[in-house]
Amino acid sequence: METFATRGYHHASLAEIAERAGLTQPGLLHHFRSKTALLSGVLELRDDSEMAQLGTERPRGLALLDHLVETVRRNAEREGIVRLYAVLSAESVTEGHPAQDFFRSRYTGLRAMVVEALVEACELGETRADTDVESVANAIIAVMDGLQLQWLLAPESVDMAATTRRTIDALLAGLRTGDRPG
């Protein structure tokens, strides 16, 4: 994770990764057939750890947005994972990048999860029924990713969790059907 996070996929060498892991390069390749397979394993590990935080059932409605803020708060204590995600997601937009399908799928799934939570919020009476759930979901994800980049460059200047909370509250202002503590 650390090598991919600091060097990116293209500049990370299997020799360096193997050395950091206390393996030989052939030993590393015994466990992961290729650098691409290793990258997939690293990305899956990151997502599996995030999904474990959700437990067996994800929060419904606006409670999922609260969970996202807590995830951002935890991320402020995991610079390596945040850097890995930021570097590899940005690199994945380049033609032929091995993580492109992973990140496309991840964003599709994340958007769907946030949209579903916002639809539930409408159904639960937490927000108005006419909420543009797709736009709100896209904005929440964009803010979270943008804050990660800013935080990586100037951690002392960016409070990711507080700004994420403030942004979610601003996006939902006027959409709530009743008072809800923020």
Side-chain angles (χ1 to χ4, degrees):
M1 282 185 168
E2 188 175 322
T3 304
F4 283 134
T6 57
R7 299 193 183 284
Y9 175 79
H10 294 295
H11 296 290
S13 75
L14 285 177
E16 179 183 357
I17 293 168
E19 183 180 321
R20 283 182 166 200
L23 299 169
T24 63
Q25 191 168 335
L28 179 65
L29 290 171
H30 172 75
H31 296 285
F32 298 96
R33 293 185 324 266
S34 66
K35 187 175 172 183
T36 301
L38 177 60
L39 176 64
S40 294
V42 166
L43 292 171
E44 287 170 15
L45 176 64
R46 182 201 183 271
D47 270 5
D48 289 348
S49 70
E50 288 300 314
M51 293 310 288
Q53 294 291 328
L54 272 176
T56 56
E57 191 173 319
R58 75 158 177 78
R60 294 180 41 82
L62 295 182
L64 178 73
L65 303 186
D66 296 335
H67 170 77
L68 292 178
V69 172
E70 285 308 308
T71 299
V72 170
R73 190 178 323 286
R74 279 193 314 277
N75 282 349
E77 299 168 2
R78 306 181 299 182
E79 181 182 343
I81 290 174
V82 172
R83 185 177 314 284
L84 172 76
Y85 177 82
V87 168
L88 294 177
S89 64
E91 275 188 348
S92 76
V93 302
T94 60
E95 187 175 331
H97 193 280
Q100 192 171 79
D101 289 340
F102 173 87
F103 280 103
R104 240 189 216 122
S105 175
R106 186 175 193 293
Y107 275 111
T108 298
L110 181 57
R111 266 192 309 275
M113 186 186 330
V114 176
V115 164
E116 184 178 353
L118 290 167
V119 167
E120 290 166 356
C122 294
E123 293 168 352
L124 293 168
E126 296 174 325
T127 61
R128 291 193 335 237
D130 63 344
T131 300
D132 182 354
V133 293
E134 284 86 10
S135 292
V136 173
N138 286 334
I140 290 168
I141 295 165
V143 165
M144 290 172 64
D145 281 0
L147 286 170
Q148 286 184 12
L149 291 174
Q150 292 179 55
W151 176 76
L152 286 166
L153 294 169
E156 67 287 345
S157 300
V158 179
D159 183 337
M160 292 190 298
T163 306
T164 300
R165 172 86 277 154
R166 204 168 292 116
T167 302
I168 288 171
D169 288 347
L171 286 167
L172 295 176
L175 297 177
R176 291 197 170 127
T177 56
D179 290 333
R180 181 177 175 276

